[in-house]
Every structure is written in structure tokens, then in C-alpha cells.
Amino acid sequence: MNDRAMNDKNSAGKTWTSASGIPLKPFYREDDVPAQHRERLAAGPGEPPFHRGAYPTGYRTKPWRIFQLSGFGKPEDENARIKFLLEQGETGFIMEHDRNTGDHCYNVDHPEVVARREDVGLTGAVMQSVRDIDICMKDLPIETSYAHAGGAVVQHAPFALAGYWTVAKRRGVALDRLPGTGQSDYFLTYLGCVTKQQVPTDVGLRFNADIMEFCDRHLPRWVPVSIAGYNAADTGLNAYQELGALFANAVEYLDEIQRRGTMPIERAARGCGGVSFRMSMDLFEEASKLRAARLMWQQLLAERYAITDAKVANLRIHCVTAGSRMTYQQPLNNIVRGTVMALAGVLGGVQSLGVSGYDEALSIPSEHAHQMSVRIQQILQEETNVTAVTDPLGGSWYVEALTAELVEKAWGFFEEIQAQGGFLASLDSGWLHEKAAENQHREFMAQETGEQVIVGVTAHTDDASPYEVDGFMGVDDAFDVALERLEEVRRTRHEAGAADALRQLERVCRSSDNIMPAMMDALEAEVTLGEIGDVWRDVFGDWATPIQT
């Protein structure tokens, strides 16, 4: 039987492909690796085009950061959970704001929030003013720990970042010494979450470019925005679509900064060159995706922007294992899933990593699930010896062929997005949503027919202990306490100062000035989240969503 026939079917009649549909051979030879890609193998880790890794010594000298998403309830509840994770060995921390209020920039007394008051605090701590953020940050080692300040949704990011930075300033921490990252992600905002009352995509581009400029001037150790391919993938884009769309997003940022002419393009590239990807269950494709990402970033900067600075062209990668792959059936199986996905990221090369909680299909992670997520990473770092050799998959004909194929297909998808008018246009028209929905439907049908096996769900469903995990219940007073604190802020703040700051913010929004200095003043004056959201809605209106919600 020739290679092609063997590739098409195995003895049981199954067609073998990667998760993104790339046909797979039963084994690979040297000539399966494209000649151009074979030439790249002469480069070592830490050398352009960087597909073999960010550093020559890899994890020997730079172990990946253990970086878990955490947050629920009241600010003090989230503060306690972050401290718990740091005690368990987490080496950075992520603050999560309540999604019910934060995503739409509502206060808790907004009718939309009141109507679902029981959900408030389920997916992050309720933080409506700088007072709440100060409680959440109490006694956290912000000067020495790399932090994610929250603000995953584009219109929420200015509030979350300005709040974190304001608290840091009040504590005497110089902003130019403060380490950390923002996110302000388009995929979460316009593709992955409920799209009701978001600022239009062009306004979001302004916000993110303003944040990049502000960090360039005042926070050189802060990553201003982080494009989250994770959210694209968990919405339905496959591996090469995730890559192509992520770099199409990066082009929007870099082109906007280049148009403004307010900062060197190299520093802008550095500012958006820290990204995140989702790690899913196709171990070799996911590891190859990270190798492809570094290669593509180097190509993009060199060919489109003439950037050759190796420090800038070396993509920095955070990964999170796919929460969507965690099942509520037989949930302890998810510990294995989390480990496999984490290993894929480690083998592909990451700077930081988060592992989804084994109970994530049921609830936000419990303390035990969070501890297990940290322990999985510690076992990988300290017991497996995977940290000994950089790019251990490098030179595998299969992995190199798969890396090259992902690069080719990702650039093809990138060009499809450009043909739609660019990344923002592909969101405004709903084109990118259609691509994600097509993949969602395809995967659903594969599970329905049994073509895709999920252990404990579509096969091997007998469960000896069906109630082994209850799920984390959280707290039941988040809404009531948040409402009391909101009323207290309104009653005790310097009202004239808050009103002046809010008017100044509105004036800046109606101009072309950078919004972030006015945001810092607004947070210092104890302007609330909902008041800032009202300015967004009054000045910019809402995004004309291309899908029905």
C-alpha cells in the first residue's frame, strides 16, 4: 500500500486528521518536511525565526510562570484566593472582575444586573470603584509579582488598568517599576461573549492604541494589550485559524500606531507581542501551533514592518488549557485532560501557563481544583525532566511537517481576513463568527455520530461515582455587599471632584486625545464603573452586532 492510500484510511476505515482537519500520514519521512522549512532547522532556540523556542537554555534558566485565573464574590474573597494560590506556588497572579458588571461597564444597580443578581460574583469579584480594587489588592506583592489586572473585555480594560495603577501609586509604587499585563481582547469582546452594549470595534482600537501609548510613556515593564487566541479557539476557530486571526488582530494595532506616529513601531510591536493561546487535546498539533506562532511573528515583523530586532521579534506566549474540554461527566478525568494540554504547551514552548480547574464544567474552580492546577504544573516542572532540553520535539519529521503546514494554512486564513477588509471588518460583518460557527457545528456532529470520542461523555460512560465533585458554590452576599459599597462611595466621595473628572473624561472622549490620563484622574476621583460605561454609551454608542443575541 502506498503512502497516500495508507493516509486515507486505516484498517478500521477511519480517516486520520489533526483536530483542525490536516490529513495525517501513518508515519513521516524527511521529504515530508518542505525544503524551505528544513532550511530553518539550522537555527537553534533563541535564534530567528524562533520556532525552536524563545531562549537557548529554555526552561533551565527561565521556567514558565504558573499563572492561574482566579476570582469570585467580593474583592476580599478574590484577595484570599489569590493569596492561597501564591502560597501553593503560583508565580504570578490574575485578577478577575465580575463579568456581569465588568463586561458591560454596569454598576450593580443597573436594571440588567439587578435582574440577574444571583449571578453577580460568580465569575469574578465585583469591583465598581478604586476602593473595591484596593480591597482586592490588599497585601499582594505587586512590586515583585507579575500580575494581570483584569480588563479582558476591551471597554472594561481602561477601568481595570487605571484602577490597578491608581492603587499602586497610592502605595508608593512607581509605575515605571510595575510589572504586569493587560488584555483588552477583541476575540472575547466581539466574538466570544455576549455582545450587548460593547463599544464599536473602531473605538476599541482607539482604546487599545491609547493604552499602548500610555504604557510606552509611563509603564515600560507593563504589557499593555495581550491578544488572546484562546478566546478565538474556544469560540470555534481551529488551530490555523486561531493563528491567522491573532496576527490579523496584531496588524490592526501596529498599523494604527504607525498611522498615529506617536511611538516607534518596534516598541509598539513589543507592546502587543505578548499573546495567549488555547491548549487543547491534540497534543502534537497544539505544540506545533506554538512553534508556528513564533515563526509567523518573526516573519510578520520582518516582512511587513522591517523589524529585525531579535528581542522584539521573539514572541512571548501565555497558554491556558481549554476550559471547554472539561466535562461535568466523570470530572476527575479532567485532571488528565489538564495535564495533557499543559504538556502540549510546555513542549511547544511557553513563558507562562494556566491549567483549567477539573471542576470547571460545573463551576469556577474550588480551592482543591485550583491547587491541583498548580500541582500539575509543579509536577511537570520538577518530576518529569521535560525542562532539561529546549524544543525536544524539534527535528521530528512529523512535528516539523505539521509546523510548516500550520504556518501555510494560517497565512492563508490571514489573507482571507484581509480580503474581508481586515480584522475589524471581519468582526463587523459577522464573517469571523460564521467561520467559528461552522467549526462548532462540525465538532458537534462529530460527537453526535461518535466520530469524536470524549471519554465519559460519548464513550465509556459508566460512572462508579457520579457525584464525586459537587462544584464550588461561591458566596451568596456579593450583590448585597456591592450595592452597599456603591452607595457608600456615592455618599462619601468628593462629589464635585468626581463630577469634574467625569466631565473631563467625556471631553477627552469627544476629542482625539489619549483617554488614559483622564481615566487615571477619574479613578483617583472615585468615579464608578457604571458612570464610565455611561460615558462610553453616550459618546460612542453601541456596536452594531452582526449576530442575534
Side-chain angles (χ1 to χ4, degrees), residues 175-216:
L175 293 187
D176 62 2
R177 300 300 303 158
L178 194 65
T181 182
Q183 187 170 5
S184 196
D185 178 52
Y186 265 76
F187 293 116
L188 180 63
T189 306
Y190 300 107
L191 186 66
C193 76
V194 177
T195 54
K196 185 175 183 177
Q197 293 212 293
Q198 302 296 332
V199 294
T201 55
D202 60 337
V203 176
L205 181 60
R206 174 191 172 176
F207 284 9
N208 282 1
D210 284 355
I211 293 168
M212 291 171 70
E213 289 176 352
F214 188 82
C215 288
D216 183 59

Side-chain angles (χ1 to χ4, degrees), residues 70 122 175:
S70 57
L122 285 181
L175 293 187

Side-chain angles (χ1 to χ4, degrees), residues 351-527:
Q351 277 70 56
S352 61
L353 179 64
V355 176
S356 303
Y358 65 75
D359 54 2
E360 192 156 322
L362 298 166
S363 64
I364 63 169
S366 63
E367 274 197 359
H368 185 261
H370 252 151
Q371 183 188 57
M372 286 302 304
S373 294
V374 173
R375 293 289 181 263
I376 285 169
Q377 298 193 57
Q378 290 167 331
I379 289 168
L380 289 173
Q381 285 185 343
E382 299 177 25
E383 294 189 26
T384 64
N385 215 29
V386 295
T387 58
V389 176
T390 307
D391 190 31
L393 301 182
S396 157
W397 293 327
Y398 170 39
V399 169
E400 298 297 353
L402 191 54
T403 300
E405 183 87 358
L406 286 168
V407 169
E408 180 181 357
K409 286 185 172 294
W411 281 132
F413 193 69
F414 174 93
E415 292 301 335
E416 287 186 60
I417 292 172
Q418 303 313 305
Q420 296 297 314
F423 180 70
L424 301 193
S426 75
L427 291 167
D428 290 338
S429 68
W431 181 86
L432 204 57
H433 303 79
E434 290 179 4
K435 295 298 180 182
E438 289 170 5
N439 291 342
Q440 289 174 353
H441 178 71
R442 190 178 299 114
E443 183 168 352
F444 174 78
M445 293 308 299
Q447 293 174 15
E448 286 289 294
T449 62
E451 178 184 350
Q452 180 181 357
V453 173
I454 301 175
V455 172
V457 180
T458 66
H460 315 295
T461 55
D462 290 341
D463 194 344
S465 52
Y467 305 109
E468 59 196 357
V469 174
D470 291 330
F472 179 65
M473 297 302 293
V475 298
D476 59 9
D477 61 346
F479 177 86
D480 292 333
V481 172
L483 186 59
E484 291 172 4
R485 287 176 174 169
L486 177 63
E487 292 170 349
E488 182 182 3
V489 167
R490 289 170 173 161
R491 186 176 64 253
T492 60
R493 70 185 177 183
H494 183 259
E495 191 58 36
D500 286 346
L502 204 53
R503 281 192 295 269
Q504 174 66 3
L505 177 62
E506 181 176 353
R507 186 199 67 76
V508 168
C509 288
R510 294 189 187 280
S511 73
S512 59
D513 294 347
N514 191 303
I515 67 167
M516 290 310 297
M519 281 297 302
M520 294 291 289
D521 291 342
L523 268 291
E524 180 63 41
E526 300 192 320
V527 171

Side-chain angles (χ1 to χ4, degrees), residues 20-234:
S20 64
I22 295 174
L24 298 179
K25 297 183 176 184
F27 60 87
Y28 282 74
R29 299 187 173 97
E30 183 178 4
D31 58 8
D32 291 314
V33 182
Q36 182 182 23
H37 190 76
R38 286 202 299 272
E39 293 172 4
R40 299 180 182 125
L41 300 184
E47 299 175 359
F50 302 110
H51 64 296
R52 296 210 58 204
Y55 316 111
T57 53
Y59 302 130
R60 289 188 179 193
T61 55
K62 293 181 180 289
W64 69 86
R65 181 182 297 111
I66 299 175
F67 208 41
Q68 293 294 140
L69 179 65
S70 57
F72 65 93
K74 305 180 297 297
E76 52 265 45
D77 299 320
E78 181 162 318
N79 174 270
R81 179 61 66 88
I82 291 172
K83 289 175 179 174
F84 169 79
L85 286 168
L86 291 170
E87 290 168 358
Q88 298 305 307
E90 183 179 52
T91 50
F93 64 86
I94 302 175
M95 291 171 56
E96 178 72 351
H97 293 234
D98 170 58
R99 301 290 303 277
N100 292 283
T101 50
D103 283 11
H104 305 297
C105 296
Y106 294 155
N107 286 334
V108 290
D109 59 353
H110 189 285
E112 293 280 350
V113 180
V114 174
R116 56 181 191 274
R117 58 187 292 165
E118 294 83 1
D119 295 337
V120 169
L122 285 181
T123 54
V126 187
M127 290 184 262
Q128 303 167 95
S129 75
V130 72
R131 297 185 192 183
D132 295 324
I133 296 172
D134 184 65
I135 294 169
C136 189
M137 293 171 62
K138 182 177 173 59
D139 298 326
L140 294 182
I142 61 174
E143 292 178 80
T144 56
S145 292
Y146 192 85
H148 183 319
V153 167
V154 170
Q155 67 179 5
H156 184 233
F159 172 86
L161 292 174
Y164 189 95
W165 298 336
T166 297
V167 171
K169 286 180 65 177
R170 289 180 174 182
R171 295 185 185 176
V173 180
L175 293 187
D176 62 2
R177 300 300 303 158
L178 194 65
T181 182
Q183 187 170 5
S184 196
D185 178 52
Y186 265 76
F187 293 116
L188 180 63
T189 306
Y190 300 107
L191 186 66
C193 76
V194 177
T195 54
K196 185 175 183 177
Q197 293 212 293
Q198 302 296 332
V199 294
T201 55
D202 60 337
V203 176
L205 181 60
R206 174 191 172 176
F207 284 9
N208 282 1
D210 284 355
I211 293 168
M212 291 171 70
E213 289 176 352
F214 188 82
C215 288
D216 183 59
R217 294 167 189 160
H218 303 289
L219 291 103
R221 299 182 64 193
W222 195 276
V223 177
V225 295
S226 178
I227 305 172
Y230 177 100
N231 296 318
D234 243 26

